[in-house]
Amino acid sequence: MTTMPSEQMAPPREKRRRADATRRLANMLAEAELRVATAESCTGGQLAALFAGDAALGPWLERGFIVYSADAKCEMLGLDRADAERDEGVNAEATRAMAAQALARSRAGIAVAVTGFCGPQQGNEEVGLLFIAAAHHETRVEEHHVGDIGRAAVLEAAVDLALAMLEEAAAMVAAR
């Protein structure tokens, strides 16, 4: 298996934590026969790539939307232009809409969306500000402030937070 540079730099404990999270999520998705759609802005497809690169998670990835720009958010996911442009798309409303539209425009049972500022700082951006949303029978958004810990570390944190939110969403769907 080929590892990405960010995985090679991750401490062993972090690698184990992510491996445990992906294994739990893969088991939950398999038990519920639940497919996932991703809508990624700041992570640029890293979450979908994680699914595709994992033999247990891969079968449960239905599709991924990489919507880095405001135009992509509007054109691919139908977001309201004002939401997509406010705070450069890093806001709860845009993230909620991204997750809801990824679900609506796919055959997935759950969807997750990620937006954030990874750095370096430009203007008034808060580096490390992340919004993660999960959509299924309801849509929930979380706001996280991981700090200016470096671009790669912010991206890793965003993927880990999205995995955790997917795990919670899959548990809620399975419980219904």
Side-chain angles (χ1 to χ4, degrees):
M1 179 172 93
T2 303
T3 57
M4 301 298 291
S6 59
E7 290 174 313
Q8 292 169 352
M9 297 182 321
R13 183 179 315 142
E14 296 303 317
K15 285 183 182 179
R16 274 196 308 275
R17 188 174 311 162
R18 178 166 294 172
D20 291 345
T22 58
R23 185 174 40 257
R24 281 192 313 270
L25 180 58
N27 289 338
M28 294 173 85
L29 296 173
E31 286 176 22
E33 295 185 5
L34 193 57
R35 309 258 329 243
V36 174
T38 65
E40 299 180 70
S41 184
C42 66
T43 52
Q46 288 186 24
L47 182 59
L50 176 70
F51 268 76
D54 185 291
L57 279 177
W60 306 108
L61 177 63
E62 202 280 325
R63 71 184 70 187
F65 298 91
I66 300 173
V67 290
Y68 204 78
S69 69
D71 287 339
K73 290 174 181 74
C74 295
E75 293 167 12
M76 294 176 71
L77 294 175
L79 264 66
D80 177 74
R81 175 73 53 186
D83 287 341
E85 291 180 347
R86 186 175 54 259
D87 300 320
E88 297 182 48
V90 181
N91 62 72
E93 294 79 12
T95 312
R96 178 184 310 278
M98 286 168 55
Q101 287 301 309
L103 185 63
R105 294 168 187 245
S106 71
R107 293 186 173 102
I110 57 176
V112 65
V114 182
T115 63
F117 294 123
C118 299
Q121 185 173 10
Q122 298 175 359
N124 293 330
E125 295 174 350
E126 177 191 336
V127 176
L129 172 62
L130 300 168
F131 288 93
I132 316 289
H136 43 92
H137 57 276
E138 63 183 53
T139 303
R140 192 167 69 88
V141 180
E142 293 180 350
E143 179 177 333
H144 298 273
H145 302 264
V146 300
D148 190 351
I149 56 177
R151 188 174 183 86
V154 173
L155 291 168
E156 289 292 318
V159 169
D160 289 339
L161 291 164
L163 285 171
M165 200 160 194
L166 274 171
E167 189 176 342
E168 292 173 16
M172 290 177 74
V173 171
R176 289 191 102 201

